[in-house]
Amino acid sequence: MRFTRTFLAAFSLTCNWVHLANAAASSDSPRDADRGQSSYVGGDHNIDPETVSQFKHLWNASFNPGEKHWARPLVHTLPSTGRQIVFTASTENRVRTFDAATGELIAERQISPPWPLNTTNCTELGETMGIMGTPVIYTDYEDGIAFFYVKSYIEDYRTPGGAAPALNGVYYLYGVYLTTLQDLYKFPLFIDDVPHDNDPRKVFIGGLVLQRPSLLLLGDMLYAGFGGICDAYNFTGSVVAVNLGSRNIYRWATQAGPDSGHTDDWTLRNGGGAGGIWQAGAGLASDGKDVFFTVDKGGDLVGAGVFNSPVSGKTHLDMLSGSVTRISLNEENGLGVQLVDWFKPADYQANYSHDIGSSGFAVLDEGFKTAEGKKIGVASGKKSKLYIHDLDNLGGYRQGLNSSDGVLQTIHLDGQVFGGIGSYPLEGGYIYAYPENAPLSAYAFTSSANTSQLFTLVGRSSSRSSGAGTPTVTSNQGKSGTGIVWVTDVTRGLVAYKAVPVNGTLVEIPLPKVNGAIKYGRPVFGDGRVYVIDGSGKLVALGAK
Ligand SMILES: *[C@@H]1O[C@H](CO)[C@@H](O)[C@H](O)[C@H]1NC(C)=O
Ligand SMILES: *[C@@H]1O[C@H](CO)[C@@H](O)[C@H](O)[C@H]1NC(C)=O
Ligand SMILES: *[C@@H]1O[C@H](CO)[C@@H](O)[C@H](O)[C@H]1NC(C)=O
Ligand SMILES: *[C@@H]1O[C@H](CO)[C@@H](O)[C@H](O)[C@H]1NC(C)=O
Ligand SMILES: *[C@@H]1O[C@H](CO)[C@@H](O)[C@H](O)[C@H]1NC(C)=O
Ligand SMILES: *[C@@H]1O[C@H](CO)[C@@H](O)[C@H](O)[C@H]1NC(C)=O
Ligand SMILES: *[C@@H]1O[C@H](CO)[C@@H](O)[C@H](O)[C@H]1NC(C)=O
Ligand SMILES: *[C@@H]1O[C@H](CO)[C@@H](O)[C@H](O)[C@H]1NC(C)=O
């Protein structure tokens, strides 16, 4: 209770959370990549191709058999001691902290029992389902607080059958102090059994959904995306936004209104309209104000004839399907979450599963701007394309010439993208895609007035991917020549390339071998070190020291 009083005092004095400068060490990773999901994690990890050539295995940690870490580890330095720690969260609802340098286990806690997954057709996710979306660390309060969603159950809560029926599953939002792993005052929050704000028929039932995308923290507002459990049950996709100070909760469904799918038969597949947000785990992205993400297949507006001609992305839609989506939440105006803009590919087919929901959206660094000063966002997905968007005019449906995509540029890829793209805003600017069964490819940026020339293919890796993760880019203090693109690969483990290709080739930097990687993974960085979940589920630390 010692922290509690201080916390409350700080809160009630300011009516808002106190934001202290420099509370996070610059080499920390308090969230999944960057706020925009541009996957450039900045220049503060003291890592360059020279130090990487001296990398060795520093330590590794094993977990329980069957326990999975889909959530990426996070790295944080405790201001009180200066000790850097790695925080992990698993499908068994176990959270742990490790010393980032030595791998010593500092603290461990099982938050609550995870939900047994064996009644679903989704056992590839693990034996149980607990924490899956990557947590986020609130760094500006004492030694830091980790927030994350916990999937658990209450026996016989809504239907007989104990824990197993999905209908008895629930979600909690936890906040735990990183020093003790004990609960933040007035947490956890129970978020179930309340209708979505934009459709009162649709009650949020945590058991029927999966919190997969990494969390997004904007000031004191925490955003989380929810989708289906291998598309079972009558789920609808949603965003839950929680004001961590006031604990006000907003629930926004991707499928809302009288025409959207709804049924009280919870066992009916797609009965709730679907339209999940999963992004192969990639985080919700932000420009600092609004939130961007992709929605999987949902209400069939093309088939229903709503979309037989071009529609502006500024037109309100009750149902989003295979769409890039921008929402805005302004607590002062009392409107709750509002749809601001969207994009749906011109070749969308409701009967075809190749949609764009397998990949998140990237808000690129402001250094990437068109000749006209437009900011840039990038979407990808199962269409084997990169869509280069005007961030403030995503493109609606068929808003381009002759009913084509109303985007700045479309780049054709050799495969489907899961997770998202990487970017490097230095040395002219590059973006990277790592499609399935294809090489890692680098595209150079020019702020051309002809926007179909903004990005040009300039380099490829010599090997092809399998179970590829999202490219993630580091530099050493932003110095030229130090950029590194990191990717995980189910068979090849962790792989690093120089960020700037040489004569059409992405040059690999040798690393100590990591035995495979978790599917759709991504490395995490600390003070001169890199952490990754390998193919056997171990947490592996590489570094020079
Ligand atoms: C993990 O650590 C153990 C003991 O420290 C060591 O023997 C083993 O080689 C390590 N494994 C890997 C993959 O580095
Ligand atoms: C599922 O797992 C739970 C917990 O391990 C177990 O009690 C139950 O019998 C299993 N059910 C099936 C159908 O395998
Ligand atoms: C699992 O798959 C079987 C066979 O396809 C199907 O009958 C059943 O409804 C599925 N279960 C769920 C929970 O989706
Ligand atoms: C699914 O079924 C449950 C239980 O009847 C209901 O409360 C909920 O509103 C339904 N969800 C959707 C999205 O239709
Ligand atoms: C989907 O529908 C379109 C047009 O409605 C049709 O041309 C196409 O062949 C269908 N595709 C599949 C995979 O059934
Ligand atoms: C648009 O379509 C018309 C009619 O099919 C065609 O003549 C014209 O070349 C097309 N323009 C472009 C820019 O593709
Ligand atoms: C813009 O660039 C594309 C691709 O290089 C080219 O085909 C097209 O002709 C250019 N358009 C103009 C107006 O220069
Ligand atoms: C790149 O290609 C040019 C022209 O073929 C050659 O002169 C140069 O040495 C090459 N650079 C590298 C680093 O291979």
Side-chain angles (χ1 to χ4, degrees), residues 272-525:
I277 306 171
W278 83 286
Q279 308 188 145
L284 307 184
S286 179
D287 61 349
K289 177 177 159 285
D290 291 348
V291 181
F292 299 78
F293 50 88
T294 63
V295 175
D296 243 342
K297 222 166 73 127
D300 177 7
L301 293 168
V302 173
V306 175
F307 278 152
N308 40 29
S309 54
V311 188
S312 159
K314 313 290 179 183
T315 308
H316 177 82
L317 295 181
D318 282 349
M319 290 177 272
L320 294 148
S321 183
S323 315
V324 175
T325 306
R326 176 180 187 163
I327 58 170
S328 191
L329 171 55
N330 171 354
E331 286 197 289
E332 266 113 65
N333 68 15
L335 296 174
V337 171
Q338 296 290 302
L339 176 65
V340 175
D341 196 4
W342 52 270
F343 164 76
K344 184 189 187 81
D347 58 357
Y348 175 85
Q349 287 181 1
N351 56 1
Y352 194 52
S353 71
H354 283 191
D355 58 62
I356 63 179
S358 68
S359 183
F361 186 76
V363 176
L364 295 189
D365 187 275
E366 299 229 355
F368 293 94
K369 261 192 187 154
T370 70
E372 291 177 302
K374 291 174 178 161
K375 288 180 273 184
I376 296 176
V378 184
S380 46
K382 291 194 198 164
K383 291 261 177 210
S384 301
K385 289 175 189 169
L386 290 181
Y387 298 102
I388 312 297
H389 299 267
D390 172 353
L391 191 67
D392 294 314
N393 188 8
L394 292 174
Y397 181 63
R398 300 194 169 178
Q399 294 284 289
L401 269 180
N402 276 5
S403 296
S404 62
D405 288 324
V407 297
L408 299 174
Q409 182 182 9
T410 304
I411 298 168
H412 293 267
L413 303 175
D414 295 332
Q416 305 181 343
V417 177
F418 292 84
I421 61 127
S423 73
Y424 182 49
L426 312 176
E427 302 183 61
Y430 294 84
I431 59 173
Y432 307 86
Y434 197 32
E436 280 298 302
N437 303 312
L440 175 69
S441 297
Y443 301 83
F445 176 71
T446 66
S447 61
S448 173
N450 179 349
T451 63
S452 59
Q453 297 174 338
L454 286 173
F455 291 95
T456 318
L457 178 66
V458 289
R460 291 193 143 163
S461 64
S462 53
S463 55
R464 292 174 170 262
S465 71
S466 61
T470 302
T472 310
V473 185
T474 56
S475 75
N476 188 348
Q477 320 292 330
K479 286 200 287 280
S480 266
T482 66
I484 301 175
V485 189
W486 306 79
V487 286
T488 62
D489 193 286
V490 165
T491 49
R492 299 177 65 219
L494 180 66
V495 193
Y497 298 90
K498 289 191 175 169
V500 177
V502 179
N503 283 354
T505 302
L506 278 158
V507 180
E508 193 169 334
I509 308 169
L511 284 178
K513 179 151 182 62
V514 172
N515 293 316
I518 193 163
K519 209 172 173 186
Y520 316 139
R522 146 179 266 176
V524 176
F525 304 90

Side-chain angles (χ1 to χ4, degrees), residues 167 201-203 205 208 234-236 262-266 272:
L167 199 59
R201 298 170 306 162
K202 298 187 179 179
V203 178
I205 294 180
L208 306 178
N234 70 329
F235 80 100
T236 179
H262 171 69
T263 169
D264 285 326
D265 176 1
W266 65 275

Side-chain angles (χ1 to χ4, degrees), residues 122 125 129 132-133 151 171 196 204-213 224-240 252 254-255 270 273-281 284 293-297 357:
C122 224
L125 297 182
M129 184 43 65
M132 196 173 192
K151 191 176 181 97
Y171 263 110
H196 286 88
F204 182 96
I205 294 180
L208 306 178
V209 291
L210 196 58
Q211 202 288 296
R212 179 71 163 104
F226 290 81
I229 310 171
C230 293
D231 286 347
Y233 315 123
N234 70 329
F235 80 100
T236 179
S238 57
V239 173
V240 174
W252 179 84
T254 66
Q255 315 294 309
N270 290 342
I277 306 171
W278 83 286
Q279 308 188 145
L284 307 184
F293 50 88
T294 63
V295 175
D296 243 342
K297 222 166 73 127

